[in-house]
Amino acid sequence: MAVPIAVLDCDLLLYGRGHRTLDRFKLEDVTDEYLESTYGFPRQFIYYLVDLLGASLSRPTQRSRAISPETQILAALGFYTSGSFQTRMGDAIGISQASMSRCVANVTEALVERASQFIHFPEDEATVQSLKDDFYALAGMPGVLGVVGCTHVAIRAPNAEDLSYVNRKGLHSLNCLMVCDARGVLLSAETHWPGSLPDCTVLQQATLTSQFETELHKDGWLLGDSSFFLRTWLMTPLHIPETPAEYRYNMAHSATHNVIERMFRTIRSRFRCLDGSKGTLQYSPEKSSHIILACCVLHNIALEHGLDVWSSPATGHMEQPEEEYEQMESIDSEACRIRQELLLTHFS
């Protein structure tokens, strides 16, 4: 006759009481090389995350063996940087695959809660000017407050009937709109847009647009590629440059805008859960969006801690679908005037 079990602790059932339990795993017991190779980050960075997220990850629980914040963070970092819930990752810290999944969910939400703390445009004049100076030093493009672009991240199909997430390549994805500075620090990240939406539509509907049209800096602009419309606050390249000044403008624009492509490669390389090499994110669009945003937060924290080496291109299978750019010149006469003035003033 079956014996009912009132409370199941999957880690206890899988490993037993004699196993090296999750609360016995200590960072000081392993080498720096092990931490970086297994979890993608050095010891001091992990300690910082424990201090930052510890209170959120120590919520009361009815389970007798609550997983420590330290272990939850290691589990989440293991997933973000490897893209896998493989048994060996859980074995390393003594937890099951089911507990790994819970840890990723907990840490992801804790990071998302702090997104505005780490991803935002500068507000004080000195920092804004420094932002412009850094961009100008790259290729001589003045007044740049950030470079904007979109990238796709593959996700599991929500359901057979929902085609809104099917992109131009026939794959399910989220189209993520991001802005970064000259170092690759993210200033804005909107990670929830369905993959079927073209970049120009995403920007049109984005919070970023309402911010720049109603609130943010009037003395500078973002740089966007040809998938976007020219706006008073968004400078795009000329489709058919004719004069030397127009060619110089386009070359400076391209060299400066390339920063965001490098940033996309860096994030995919560091967070392999996003690069498609381990398959799609096996979550709903909402949860997948939160995982992407959590990785963006970690990217900025890493840069803040000096972990700012530009990475080589990732080898994943999910690349941004190629857009068939149409001629998307703005009918905004003021935007055209501003770009023409920029051409005459700085590139003639």
Side-chain angles (χ1 to χ4, degrees), residues 25 30-40 88-89 92-93:
F25 182 91
V30 295
T31 65
D32 292 335
E33 292 76 14
Y34 172 81
L35 289 174
E36 294 208 40
S37 64
T38 306
Y39 305 106
R88 66 173 181 81
M89 186 63 69
I93 48 179

Side-chain angles (χ1 to χ4, degrees), residues 238 240-252 343-344 346-348:
L238 289 122
I240 307 176
E242 297 177 347
T243 67
E246 290 175 346
Y247 277 102
R248 284 192 288 270
Y249 167 85
N250 270 13
M251 289 178 63
L343 279 163
L344 294 173
H346 294 278
F347 295 99
S348 294

Side-chain angles (χ1 to χ4, degrees), residues 9 22-23 57 59-69 72:
D9 187 321
L22 37 111
D23 286 323
L57 300 176
R59 297 185 177 103
T61 177
Q62 294 180 348
R63 299 179 64 211
S64 60
R65 295 170 70 250
I67 302 175
S68 68
Q72 292 184 62

Side-chain angles (χ1 to χ4, degrees), residues 143-155:
V144 181
L145 300 168
V147 289
V148 60
C150 286
T151 189
H152 286 251
V153 176
I155 63 170

Side-chain angles (χ1 to χ4, degrees), residues 90-146:
D91 283 346
I93 48 179
I95 63 175
S96 67
Q97 181 174 325
S99 291
M100 278 280 296
S101 182
R102 289 196 300 273
C103 291
V104 170
N106 292 342
V107 174
T108 295
E109 292 311 304
L111 288 168
V112 168
E113 288 172 359
R114 292 162 176 78
S116 61
Q117 176 182 345
F118 293 99
I119 302 175
H120 56 82
F121 283 90
E123 296 181 356
D124 63 282
E125 291 185 10
T127 308
V128 170
Q129 186 58 50
S130 178
L131 192 66
K132 294 179 182 179
D133 293 343
D134 289 344
F135 275 118
Y136 187 79
L138 293 179
M141 180 69 76
V144 181
L145 300 168

